[in-house]
Amino acid sequence: MIELTDPQLVEQDLVLTPADALRDVPAEGDPADPPLAGRVRLGGPHALRLTPDELAADPDLARYAEDQAALYDHYLVRLSLTFPPEPRGPRLEFAHLGLTLSSTAFAPQPVAHSMDPVRLTDAVEVQRVRRIGPQLSLLGTDASLGEVGRTVTFTRNRPLVQALDLGGSAPAWEFRRTEATELTGSYPLSLVVRSGAGAVTELGCTVTAGVKAPLLRRYHRVLPDPLRLHTVL
């Protein structure tokens, strides 16, 4: 195992477009929904090719990279999502950072070899009322005559952040507000991309977010310039 220095990621504030506007034309006279600004910042992406020389501090990793070099190139890609403290306005309900890996080579196609974090959870206390009615029938939450019951308290782990499509060409991270934690602060994200040796691979990025005001509204932004992963001789 080795430790690599974290790069100083260049951050950009994202202005997200209402998702409905991409499909529907507003009725005449109806004001268009304003974009969502100041709620999501994207850091990176930044890529580092993991060569045997780069991994020399760990002989086993360096040997593995050398053994794989005839077939694959590996890149460590780092990003971050930052949710500033909420301004006046609806709170974020969810955010989704989706990546698309594509290559000029016919095979093998690029995939997310590993991702971090894979899953972050919140421990949330949940209460459920167990009710039993006449003839030992299980009842729902509605009260009825002749029932007995008790309240059961238990802890459930709600996913705050989870990785999607590990091992595939469309990796993503899903963020969801929980009862215990709002979507605020910075989240560093990393993945190792495995692509065909010598192939030029592009990494596209799309950010989606949702707020309730009072209905759930979706917004998104596609970054116009994909990150190019290739060997420079």
Side-chain angles (χ1 to χ4, degrees):
M1 179 182 294
I2 61 173
E3 293 185 3
L4 299 175
T5 303
D6 287 336
Q8 186 66 38
L9 298 178
V10 178
E11 286 193 324
Q12 56 178 310
D13 285 303
L14 299 183
V15 178
L16 308 182
T17 304
D20 292 346
L22 302 176
R23 300 189 300 269
D24 304 323
V25 177
E28 187 174 352
D30 289 345
D33 289 331
L36 188 69
R39 307 301 292 276
V40 182
R41 292 204 305 265
L42 175 68
H46 175 276
L48 172 68
R49 185 165 176 246
L50 298 176
T51 64
D53 289 342
E54 191 71 42
L55 302 172
D58 187 317
D60 290 336
L61 281 178
R63 190 178 306 110
Y64 175 82
E66 189 171 1
D67 291 343
Q68 296 283 303
L71 292 176
Y72 302 113
D73 289 332
H74 292 85
Y75 297 87
L76 174 61
V77 179
R78 283 175 277 201
L79 313 93
S80 67
L81 270 192
T82 297
F83 309 108
E86 291 183 17
R88 288 175 296 179
R91 64 189 179 188
L92 286 175
E93 295 293 326
F94 74 89
H96 181 95
L97 173 60
L99 306 176
T100 303
L101 303 174
S102 58
S103 174
T104 57
F106 176 72
Q109 288 300 297
V111 297
H113 182 68
S114 62
M115 301 174 69
D116 181 65
V118 173
R119 185 177 175 90
L120 299 177
T121 60
D122 267 342
V124 178
E125 188 176 273
V126 181
Q127 289 189 343
R128 290 287 185 269
V129 178
R130 308 298 188 196
R131 291 188 171 92
I132 298 178
Q135 299 180 0
L136 301 182
S137 58
L138 292 173
L139 304 176
T141 56
D142 296 334
S144 64
L145 295 177
E147 70 173 24
V148 296
R150 65 188 180 95
T151 299
V152 178
T153 302
F154 58 95
T155 299
R156 174 176 293 171
N157 289 321
R158 303 280 192 189
L160 175 65
V161 183
Q162 56 183 341
L164 306 174
D165 201 33
L166 175 61
S169 60
W173 282 276
E174 182 84 14
F175 300 76
R176 288 202 173 271
R177 182 183 68 82
T178 71
E179 294 92 328
T181 303
E182 300 289 342
L183 288 184
T184 60
S186 295
Y187 294 85
L189 309 167
S190 303
L191 76 155
V192 173
V193 175
R194 188 187 70 193
S195 61
V200 177
T201 296
E202 289 193 342
L203 183 149
C205 183
T206 301
V207 177
T208 306
V211 299
K212 277 189 177 179
L215 300 177
L216 183 65
R217 296 304 312 273
R218 298 173 62 91
Y219 299 80
H220 88 176
R221 166 77 183 275
V222 178
L223 270 66
D225 300 316
L227 176 68
R228 290 173 63 86
L229 308 176
H230 62 101
T231 304
V232 179
L233 301 177

